[in-house]
mmCIF file of all heavy atoms in Angstrom:
data_model
loop_
_atom_site.group_PDB
_atom_site.id
_atom_site.type_symbol
_atom_site.label_atom_id
_atom_site.label_comp_id
_atom_site.label_asym_id
_atom_site.label_seq_id
_atom_site.Cartn_x
_atom_site.Cartn_y
_atom_site.Cartn_z
ATOM 1 N N LEU A 228 5.262 18.834 -21.716
ATOM 2 C CA LEU A 228 5.413 17.474 -21.175
ATOM 3 C C LEU A 228 4.453 16.506 -21.860
ATOM 4 O O LEU A 228 4.812 15.373 -22.180
ATOM 5 C CB LEU A 228 5.140 17.463 -19.668
ATOM 6 C CG LEU A 228 6.231 18.012 -18.754
ATOM 7 C CD1 LEU A 228 5.761 17.961 -17.304
ATOM 8 C CD2 LEU A 228 7.525 17.222 -18.891
ATOM 9 N N SER A 229 3.220 16.966 -22.085
ATOM 10 C CA SER A 229 2.220 16.091 -22.724
ATOM 11 C C SER A 229 2.702 15.684 -24.109
ATOM 12 O O SER A 229 2.593 14.518 -24.499
ATOM 13 C CB SER A 229 0.867 16.793 -22.834
ATOM 14 O OG SER A 229 0.415 17.159 -21.564
ATOM 15 N N ARG A 230 3.232 16.642 -24.842
ATOM 16 C CA ARG A 230 3.726 16.344 -26.194
ATOM 17 C C ARG A 230 4.866 15.329 -26.155
ATOM 18 O O ARG A 230 5.078 14.573 -27.092
ATOM 19 C CB ARG A 230 4.181 17.627 -26.889
ATOM 20 C CG ARG A 230 3.094 18.205 -27.811
ATOM 21 C CD ARG A 230 3.622 19.287 -28.732
ATOM 22 N NE ARG A 230 3.751 20.578 -28.049
ATOM 23 C CZ ARG A 230 4.901 21.167 -27.766
ATOM 24 N NH1 ARG A 230 6.052 20.630 -28.116
ATOM 25 N NH2 ARG A 230 4.911 22.332 -27.146
ATOM 26 N N SER A 231 5.608 15.325 -25.043
ATOM 27 C CA SER A 231 6.712 14.349 -24.919
ATOM 28 C C SER A 231 6.220 13.015 -24.387
ATOM 29 O O SER A 231 7.032 12.131 -24.077
ATOM 30 C CB SER A 231 7.785 14.896 -23.975
ATOM 31 O OG SER A 231 8.288 16.105 -24.463
ATOM 32 N N GLY A 232 4.903 12.876 -24.222
ATOM 33 C CA GLY A 232 4.351 11.574 -23.844
ATOM 34 C C GLY A 232 4.093 11.369 -22.365
ATOM 35 O O GLY A 232 3.730 10.264 -21.948
ATOM 36 N N PHE A 233 4.264 12.398 -21.560
ATOM 37 C CA PHE A 233 4.004 12.241 -20.124
ATOM 38 C C PHE A 233 2.501 12.321 -19.844
ATOM 39 O O PHE A 233 1.762 13.038 -20.540
ATOM 40 C CB PHE A 233 4.734 13.331 -19.328
ATOM 41 C CG PHE A 233 6.221 13.152 -19.321
ATOM 42 C CD1 PHE A 233 7.008 13.734 -20.302
ATOM 43 C CD2 PHE A 233 6.832 12.364 -18.349
ATOM 44 C CE1 PHE A 233 8.387 13.553 -20.316
ATOM 45 C CE2 PHE A 233 8.203 12.178 -18.353
ATOM 46 C CZ PHE A 233 8.986 12.775 -19.335
ATOM 47 N N ASP A 234 2.077 11.596 -18.819
ATOM 48 C CA ASP A 234 0.675 11.599 -18.393
ATOM 49 C C ASP A 234 0.520 12.728 -17.363
ATOM 50 O O ASP A 234 0.735 12.534 -16.173
ATOM 51 C CB ASP A 234 0.349 10.230 -17.781
ATOM 52 C CG ASP A 234 -1.081 10.146 -17.290
ATOM 53 O OD1 ASP A 234 -1.817 11.139 -17.396
ATOM 54 O OD2 ASP A 234 -1.457 9.066 -16.775
ATOM 55 N N VAL A 235 0.179 13.909 -17.839
ATOM 56 C CA VAL A 235 0.181 15.091 -16.965
ATOM 57 C C VAL A 235 -1.225 15.357 -16.434
ATOM 58 O O VAL A 235 -2.194 15.334 -17.192
ATOM 59 C CB VAL A 235 0.686 16.348 -17.717
ATOM 60 C CG1 VAL A 235 0.870 17.504 -16.743
ATOM 61 C CG2 VAL A 235 1.992 16.059 -18.429
ATOM 62 N N ARG A 236 -1.321 15.589 -15.145
ATOM 63 C CA ARG A 236 -2.607 15.877 -14.497
ATOM 64 C C ARG A 236 -2.556 17.273 -13.876
ATOM 65 O O ARG A 236 -1.963 17.461 -12.809
ATOM 66 C CB ARG A 236 -2.896 14.857 -13.388
ATOM 67 C CG ARG A 236 -2.743 13.417 -13.822
ATOM 68 C CD ARG A 236 -3.776 13.052 -14.876
ATOM 69 N NE ARG A 236 -3.569 11.703 -15.375
ATOM 70 C CZ ARG A 236 -4.317 10.659 -15.017
ATOM 71 N NH1 ARG A 236 -5.299 10.796 -14.166
ATOM 72 N NH2 ARG A 236 -4.070 9.462 -15.538
ATOM 73 N N PRO A 237 -3.171 18.265 -14.530
ATOM 74 C CA PRO A 237 -3.162 19.612 -13.964
ATOM 75 C C PRO A 237 -4.060 19.702 -12.729
ATOM 76 O O PRO A 237 -5.143 19.130 -12.713
ATOM 77 C CB PRO A 237 -3.745 20.472 -15.104
ATOM 78 C CG PRO A 237 -3.747 19.602 -16.313
ATOM 79 C CD PRO A 237 -3.838 18.196 -15.827
ATOM 80 N N VAL A 238 -3.576 20.375 -11.694
ATOM 81 C CA VAL A 238 -4.412 20.640 -10.513
ATOM 82 C C VAL A 238 -4.360 22.140 -10.242
ATOM 83 O O VAL A 238 -3.328 22.785 -10.456
ATOM 84 C CB VAL A 238 -3.934 19.873 -9.254
ATOM 85 C CG1 VAL A 238 -4.163 18.387 -9.383
ATOM 86 C CG2 VAL A 238 -2.477 20.172 -8.941
ATOM 87 N N ASP A 239 -5.480 22.675 -9.789
ATOM 88 C CA ASP A 239 -5.516 24.107 -9.479
ATOM 89 C C ASP A 239 -5.069 24.303 -8.033
ATOM 90 O O ASP A 239 -5.759 23.880 -7.101
ATOM 91 C CB ASP A 239 -6.936 24.645 -9.695
ATOM 92 C CG ASP A 239 -6.973 26.168 -9.587
ATOM 93 O OD1 ASP A 239 -5.929 26.768 -9.226
ATOM 94 O OD2 ASP A 239 -8.037 26.742 -9.853
ATOM 95 N N VAL A 240 -3.904 24.880 -7.854
ATOM 96 C CA VAL A 240 -3.375 25.119 -6.506
ATOM 97 C C VAL A 240 -3.047 26.600 -6.337
ATOM 98 O O VAL A 240 -2.092 26.962 -5.658
ATOM 99 C CB VAL A 240 -2.132 24.225 -6.215
ATOM 100 C CG1 VAL A 240 -2.531 22.778 -6.063
ATOM 101 C CG2 VAL A 240 -1.074 24.356 -7.311
ATOM 102 N N SER A 241 -3.886 27.443 -6.948
ATOM 103 C CA SER A 241 -3.580 28.873 -6.983
ATOM 104 C C SER A 241 -3.427 29.485 -5.580
ATOM 105 O O SER A 241 -2.590 30.363 -5.376
ATOM 106 C CB SER A 241 -4.663 29.631 -7.748
ATOM 107 O OG SER A 241 -5.917 29.465 -7.110
ATOM 108 N N GLU A 242 -4.217 29.004 -4.607
ATOM 109 C CA GLU A 242 -4.160 29.637 -3.280
ATOM 110 C C GLU A 242 -2.872 29.283 -2.540
ATOM 111 O O GLU A 242 -2.202 30.161 -1.998
ATOM 112 C CB GLU A 242 -5.387 29.250 -2.457
ATOM 113 C CG GLU A 242 -6.681 29.806 -3.017
ATOM 114 C CD GLU A 242 -6.614 31.309 -3.298
ATOM 115 O OE1 GLU A 242 -6.412 32.089 -2.367
ATOM 116 O OE2 GLU A 242 -6.762 31.689 -4.494
ATOM 117 N N LEU A 243 -2.497 28.001 -2.521
ATOM 118 C CA LEU A 243 -1.272 27.633 -1.798
ATOM 119 C C LEU A 243 -0.016 28.107 -2.525
ATOM 120 O O LEU A 243 1.036 28.271 -1.908
ATOM 121 C CB LEU A 243 -1.232 26.125 -1.520
ATOM 122 C CG LEU A 243 -2.269 25.649 -0.497
ATOM 123 C CD1 LEU A 243 -2.111 24.162 -0.221
ATOM 124 C CD2 LEU A 243 -2.169 26.431 0.811
ATOM 125 N N THR A 244 -0.141 28.381 -3.822
ATOM 126 C CA THR A 244 0.981 28.982 -4.549
ATOM 127 C C THR A 244 1.335 30.333 -3.940
ATOM 128 O O THR A 244 2.507 30.722 -3.884
ATOM 129 C CB THR A 244 0.611 29.160 -6.043
ATOM 130 O OG1 THR A 244 0.295 27.888 -6.577
ATOM 131 C CG2 THR A 244 1.747 29.774 -6.841
ATOM 132 N N LYS A 245 0.325 31.054 -3.452
ATOM 133 C CA LYS A 245 0.574 32.369 -2.826
ATOM 134 C C LYS A 245 1.366 32.226 -1.531
ATOM 135 O O LYS A 245 1.921 33.190 -1.033
ATOM 136 C CB LYS A 245 -0.755 33.065 -2.531
ATOM 137 C CG LYS A 245 -1.586 33.396 -3.758
ATOM 138 C CD LYS A 245 -2.909 33.999 -3.297
ATOM 139 C CE LYS A 245 -3.910 34.084 -4.429
ATOM 140 N NZ LYS A 245 -5.276 34.390 -3.909
ATOM 141 N N ALA A 246 1.364 31.002 -0.973
ATOM 142 C CA ALA A 246 2.146 30.735 0.243
ATOM 143 C C ALA A 246 3.505 30.121 -0.106
ATOM 144 O O ALA A 246 4.197 29.583 0.748
ATOM 145 C CB ALA A 246 1.365 29.805 1.164
ATOM 146 N N GLU A 247 3.854 30.181 -1.360
ATOM 147 C CA GLU A 247 5.111 29.640 -1.880
ATOM 148 C C GLU A 247 5.160 28.118 -1.814
ATOM 149 O O GLU A 247 6.234 27.526 -1.745
ATOM 150 C CB GLU A 247 6.332 30.258 -1.187
ATOM 151 C CG GLU A 247 6.959 31.352 -2.052
ATOM 152 C CD GLU A 247 8.129 32.061 -1.407
ATOM 153 O OE1 GLU A 247 9.266 31.572 -1.515
ATOM 154 O OE2 GLU A 247 7.891 33.115 -0.793
ATOM 155 N N GLY A 248 3.979 27.512 -1.831
ATOM 156 C CA GLY A 248 3.925 26.051 -1.829
ATOM 157 C C GLY A 248 3.782 25.520 -3.240
ATOM 158 O O GLY A 248 3.210 26.174 -4.108
ATOM 159 N N GLY A 249 4.279 24.329 -3.460
ATOM 160 C CA GLY A 249 4.124 23.671 -4.756
ATOM 161 C C GLY A 249 3.360 22.372 -4.577
ATOM 162 O O GLY A 249 2.706 22.174 -3.540
ATOM 163 N N VAL A 250 3.438 21.488 -5.558
ATOM 164 C CA VAL A 250 2.677 20.244 -5.445
ATOM 165 C C VAL A 250 3.424 19.140 -4.697
ATOM 166 O O VAL A 250 2.802 18.272 -4.098
ATOM 167 C CB VAL A 250 2.187 19.729 -6.819
ATOM 168 C CG1 VAL A 250 1.055 20.587 -7.337
ATOM 169 C CG2 VAL A 250 3.314 19.633 -7.828
#
Side-chain angles (χ1 to χ4, degrees):
L228 284 178
S229 301
R230 263 193 281 111
S231 301
F233 290 90
D234 179 359
V235 188
R236 310 295 175 104
V238 291
D239 188 354
V240 289
S241 61
E242 294 309 298
L243 291 183
T244 301
K245 297 176 192 168
E247 260 177 86
V250 287

